Amino acid sequence: MAKLILASASPRRREILALAGLPFEVRAGSGEEQAHGTDPEEIVKELSAGKAAEALEGAEDGDIVVGADTVVALFGTVFGKPKDEAEACSMLRSLQGRAHQVYTGVSVWKKGSGRICTFAEATKVHVLPMSDREIREYVKTGEPMDKAGAYGIQGRFAVYVRGIEGDYQNVVGLPLARLYGYLKEYREELQ
């Protein structure tokens, strides 16, 4: 029986994929995330494919590997995970009071078949104005340190989100409905 393998260490992606009701295992890569280029859609597609390719190496024929990566984009600037609190504060100062895009790239590969699908999903997020004090207090919680754009929409930052246009799960880290559409054809193999 084929296994579904999530090539990500993100606890949020594990939670989202669990919603699909399919059994899966986690096989996070150890490689450093490096993308070439500046287009956010291409960046997340490249990074998700790299994660999937790394996990595919240890998979068996027939296994289905899902890699994913998320970035935030504002006026042509791409934000990944902040390297420290100062960078997290800087990112949030840029995002507060504005709308920005969250891009998640997903790569679905079936080992041994040559079947590869890579796509990107974009969701627009509208953030309320934030004071410097609110930004510093939020960063001090530690919540933004492992998240693209320095915030977690599903956490304390939710009070600053005026609204979204698109897939909420995409902002959390995995566009589940679109991914499930691709996984449906493999459903019998995975059960």
Side-chain angles (χ1 to χ4, degrees):
M1 179 167 66
K3 293 187 299 274
L4 177 60
I5 299 167
L6 176 62
S8 173
S10 166
R12 290 156 302 279
R13 288 194 183 106
R14 285 194 302 262
E15 291 169 6
I16 294 169
L17 190 55
L19 293 173
L22 298 172
F24 66 94
E25 64 182 57
V26 175
R27 195 173 301 159
S30 58
E32 187 172 329
E33 298 176 8
Q34 290 184 319
H36 309 89
T38 57
D39 179 66
E41 186 172 319
E42 294 307 313
I43 288 170
V44 294
K45 287 165 65 175
E46 180 183 348
L47 292 174
S48 71
K51 289 178 179 181
E54 188 175 349
L56 201 66
E57 289 177 20
E60 297 176 12
D61 278 354
D63 287 350
I64 294 129
V65 176
V66 175
D69 199 83
T70 302
V71 299
V72 167
L74 175 70
F75 304 130
T77 300
V78 175
F79 301 131
K81 297 173 187 172
K83 65 180 182 294
D84 55 30
E85 288 187 359
E87 187 174 43
C89 287
S90 176
M91 288 179 183
L92 292 170
R93 283 186 194 104
S94 296
L95 298 175
Q96 65 84 26
R98 296 186 172 101
H100 63 274
Q101 298 285 335
V102 176
Y103 292 87
T104 299
V106 179
S107 291
V108 181
W109 290 16
K110 182 174 180 182
K111 177 130 187 199
S113 74
R115 293 175 70 183
I116 302 166
C117 172
T118 299
F119 65 89
E121 183 78 21
T123 302
K124 192 174 199 177
V125 179
H126 300 268
V127 179
L128 293 169
M130 299 172 71
S131 69
D132 259 2
R133 179 179 177 185
E134 288 171 320
I135 290 170
R136 286 191 311 275
E137 287 175 356
Y138 176 64
V139 170
K140 286 291 181 200
T141 68
E143 185 178 276
M145 300 314 297
D146 68 339
K147 295 170 184 70
Y151 73 88
I153 194 170
Q154 75 285 4
R156 293 180 182 187
F157 194 78
V159 299
Y160 301 111
V161 177
R162 183 172 56 83
I164 68 167
E165 297 173 43
D167 184 345
Y168 171 81
Q169 299 292 2
N170 185 56
V171 182
V172 179
L174 193 65
L176 182 59
R178 189 163 174 196
L179 171 60
Y180 189 72
Y182 289 99
L183 292 177
K184 277 171 61 169
E185 65 186 90
Y186 301 121
R187 188 176 174 99
E188 288 184 17
E189 298 173 45
L190 295 170
Q191 293 187 0

